[in-house]
Amino acid sequence: MKKTLLTVLLISTSLGFSTLAHADDIFAVLAQTYASNPTLQAERAYLRSVDENVALAKSGYRPNLSLQAGYRDGENKIKKGVGNGGEYNNLSGAAVVSQPVFSGFSTVNSVKAADRNVKAAQNNLANIEQNVLLSASTAYLDVVQNRAIVELQKNNEELLQKKLDETLERFKVGEVTRTDVSQARARHSQAVSDRIASEGTLQASIAAYVELIGAEPTELTEPTQIKNLVPTSYDSALDVALKNSYTIKQAQHLYAARGYEVYANTGALFPTLTLDGSLSRNKSEQEAFDTTTNNAEWGVNLNIPLYTGGATRAKIRQSKYLKWQAQEGVLEAKRSVKAAVQSAWEYMKSNESQLKAIEAQINANAIALEGVQKEEALGNRTILDVLDAYQELLNSKVNDVKARRTYYVSAMNLLASMGKMTAKELKLDVELYDAEKHYKNTKGKWLSLN
């Protein structure tokens, strides 16, 4: 009986991260998240709105064309003087065009600033994509972990129930005392409590999973493929991160955009030149006579700003401060990425070592449990010693499950810090969102509303 209990415990507690047939692996779940997560969908829509800033800036190159029309109807009454007055009406229409010729380089720099802001927003979207996929993978692993712990707790409860039943039978024949029975009953009650608590934790992790992924979890498997994606050394990880980090790229594009904004605001101090033209017709009807006038004219208008109440210079100073802020943002981003890589790397390597130690602990606890059971059968150990050995083995199994989850989370954090936690880098089976394509289609539009 005791040998059977030990065998069942060892087999049942090894199921925590086993691979199940017809299960969803982590990459399929991440593909589903990429395609449907509302946070990602909202950020893509926001990026499309940022794309329009380039078209707005380019409007400074393009002509303004308008049609104007007017109608007036009235009556002249003359009390004194020559004539009797009379009714009249006036109909006018005109086509007016104004083409900017020179704007103090404000337009060209505004376009460049808008373009860099789009690039920054694209990198921000990539960062958000990484954060969403990282959160989804963490939720995935939480469900895997908590399901495994629930199974361990259920098996432990079942085994302690059998141990309690066995102890009660031995008490009836006088082999053990009432104290032994109470100890066995207390441990079983604790197992019930732990199982209920673990089930509650599992349901909470399932709720978080559904929130991020949009579907109930099916049978999930251990993501062993993640091990193949992480670099073999810290130096290579840091080198990739400094080159590919979306955080650094975003900061660099923002810095460049702030520089162009300084130039664009400075352009307000320069003269502006426009080429203007109009075609108009004015038709007037009165009692005595009718007149129709056609007019065509064009001209060049030059505007030289002298003083605008200090607003122009204040904007220039303001944009310079924002540029300096963005410059510090680049340095901050590089430090942040380096710290993230180092932290994730150290966590991952320490978790690797921890897993090896826990594996040795499990083997030692299994041998110890078997030895304690034999000694208890010979009268050299108590029921409490056996119960303690059960608990030690269970704890080491639970720690193994938790350490596995922590290892994979740290590995994926490392990938995210390197800019590798995207659908493209993970080669997810999903249609990738092409932000650059939408940007190119948008920046040259003149008349479209879509």
Side-chain angles (χ1 to χ4, degrees):
M1 178 65 176
K2 295 173 183 176
K3 183 69 174 178
T4 302
L5 283 173
L6 174 58
T7 303
V8 172
L9 181 62
L10 291 176
I11 294 175
S12 62
T13 55
S14 66
L15 296 178
F17 278 86
S18 62
T19 300
L20 302 174
H22 307 294
D24 282 342
D25 67 19
I26 195 168
F27 296 110
V29 170
L30 292 182
Q32 183 179 357
T33 305
Y34 179 85
S36 63
N37 182 267
T39 300
L40 269 178
Q41 298 288 359
E43 287 299 324
R44 289 165 186 162
Y46 173 73
L47 176 58
R48 292 193 291 271
S49 75
V50 176
D51 291 342
E52 298 296 338
N53 288 332
V54 178
L56 288 171
K58 282 191 170 185
S59 67
Y61 290 130
R62 298 166 183 167
N64 292 315
L65 179 64
S66 64
L67 295 176
Q68 302 172 359
Y71 175 79
R72 290 180 295 171
D73 190 293
E75 181 180 2
N76 291 325
K77 293 183 179 181
I78 302 175
K79 293 183 179 181
K80 295 180 180 181
V82 180
N84 297 321
E87 295 181 352
Y88 70 90
N89 60 66
N90 182 276
L91 179 65
S92 63
V96 180
V97 62
S98 178
Q99 172 62 55
V101 177
F102 180 71
S103 59
F105 305 109
S106 289
T107 299
V108 64
N109 286 301
S110 293
V111 171
K112 290 180 179 179
D115 180 76
R116 288 302 188 120
N117 279 321
V118 167
K119 298 299 183 184
Q122 288 177 349
N123 283 280
N124 183 60
L125 175 62
N127 258 336
I128 292 173
E129 177 186 331
Q130 288 201 131
N131 291 336
V132 168
L133 295 183
L134 183 60
S135 296
S137 59
T138 302
Y140 178 103
L141 287 165
D142 285 343
V143 173
V144 173
Q145 169 192 268
N146 294 328
R147 279 180 172 175
I149 291 175
V150 166
E151 289 303 312
L152 288 171
Q153 296 294 356
K154 284 182 177 179
N155 290 329
N156 185 53
E157 180 184 347
E158 180 181 350
L159 291 171
L160 290 178
Q161 179 64 61
K162 292 178 180 179
K163 188 62 179 177
L164 174 59
D165 294 340
E166 176 191 339
T167 304
L168 287 170
E169 291 298 322
R170 295 176 65 189
F171 174 72
K172 291 178 181 178
V173 297
E175 290 185 10
V176 297
T177 66
R178 187 177 301 276
T179 300
D180 294 322
V181 174
S182 296
Q183 289 172 338
R185 181 172 284 114
R187 286 300 177 89
H188 176 260
S189 297
Q190 181 63 49
V192 173
S193 174
D194 291 343
R195 187 260 303 166
I196 294 172
S198 64
E199 287 176 339
T201 303
L202 172 60
Q203 291 306 313
S205 63
I206 289 176
Y209 180 100
V210 172
E211 178 186 7
L212 285 164
I213 297 162
E216 292 283 341
T218 57
E219 299 295 345
L220 309 182
T221 60
E222 180 179 358
T224 55
Q225 309 96 313
I226 296 295
K227 298 177 181 178
N228 300 326
L229 300 178
V230 297
T232 56
S233 69
Y234 167 75
D235 289 337
S236 61
L238 181 60
D239 183 59
V240 171
L242 293 176
K243 291 179 180 178
N244 296 338
S245 169
Y246 296 107
T247 300
I248 295 176
K249 290 179 181 179
Q250 179 187 2
Q252 289 171 335
H253 284 301
L254 283 175
Y255 174 57
R258 296 296 178 262
Y260 288 124
E261 287 169 2
V262 172
Y263 297 139
N265 289 329
T266 303
L269 298 174
F270 292 87
T272 58
L273 184 67
T274 60
L275 179 63
D276 302 308
S278 67
L279 294 172
S280 64
R281 169 173 287 188
N282 190 306
K283 183 177 182 180
S284 178
E285 295 181 357
Q286 299 184 21
E287 290 183 355
F289 60 89
D290 297 340
T291 60
T292 299
T293 303
N294 295 323
N295 184 56
E297 66 177 21
W298 68 274
V300 177
N301 292 308
L302 177 67
N303 179 47
I304 301 176
L306 297 179
Y307 185 67
T308 57
T312 300
R313 288 166 174 78
K315 287 183 179 179
I316 295 172
R317 294 194 302 271
Q318 183 184 58
S319 59
K320 286 181 178 179
Y321 297 141
L322 292 174
K323 178 185 176 182
W324 293 336
Q325 179 193 34
Q327 185 177 15
E328 294 301 320
V330 175
L331 178 60
E332 180 184 8
K334 290 180 178 179
R335 290 181 178 180
S336 175
V337 168
K338 184 176 180 180
V341 172
Q342 185 172 5
S343 175
W345 177 266
E346 294 301 332
Y347 272 120
M348 186 184 71
K349 300 308 289 185
S350 65
N351 287 328
E352 280 183 341
S353 300
Q354 186 180 18
L355 281 169
K356 294 177 182 178
I358 292 175
E359 182 180 359
Q361 183 185 39
I362 291 172
N363 293 331
N365 281 332
I367 295 172
L369 173 59
E370 186 175 5
V372 169
Q373 286 180 318
K374 291 179 180 179
E375 291 174 7
E376 190 267 338
L378 297 173
N380 296 326
R381 293 278 187 165
T382 65
I383 295 293
L384 181 60
D385 292 329
V386 176
L387 295 174
D388 286 342
Y390 277 144
Q391 190 63 45
E392 289 293 329
L393 181 56
L394 173 66
N395 290 343
S396 58
K397 280 289 186 178
V398 170
N399 289 337
D400 179 64
V401 170
K402 291 180 177 179
R404 286 173 180 268
R405 178 262 182 198
T406 305
Y407 167 77
Y408 288 116
V409 169
S410 60
M412 287 182 292
N413 271 296
L414 178 62
L415 292 176
S417 67
M418 296 166 57
K420 296 291 187 179
M421 197 66 187
T422 63
K424 181 179 179 180
E425 292 291 343
L426 295 175
K427 296 181 174 57
L428 301 183
D429 185 16
V430 67
E431 183 179 355
L432 297 177
Y433 179 75
D434 194 343
E436 188 66 22
K437 179 181 178 181
H438 182 273
Y439 163 64
K440 290 179 179 178
N441 291 339
T442 298
K443 68 178 182 178
K445 289 183 178 179
W446 283 56
L447 300 173
S448 175
L449 294 177
N450 298 312

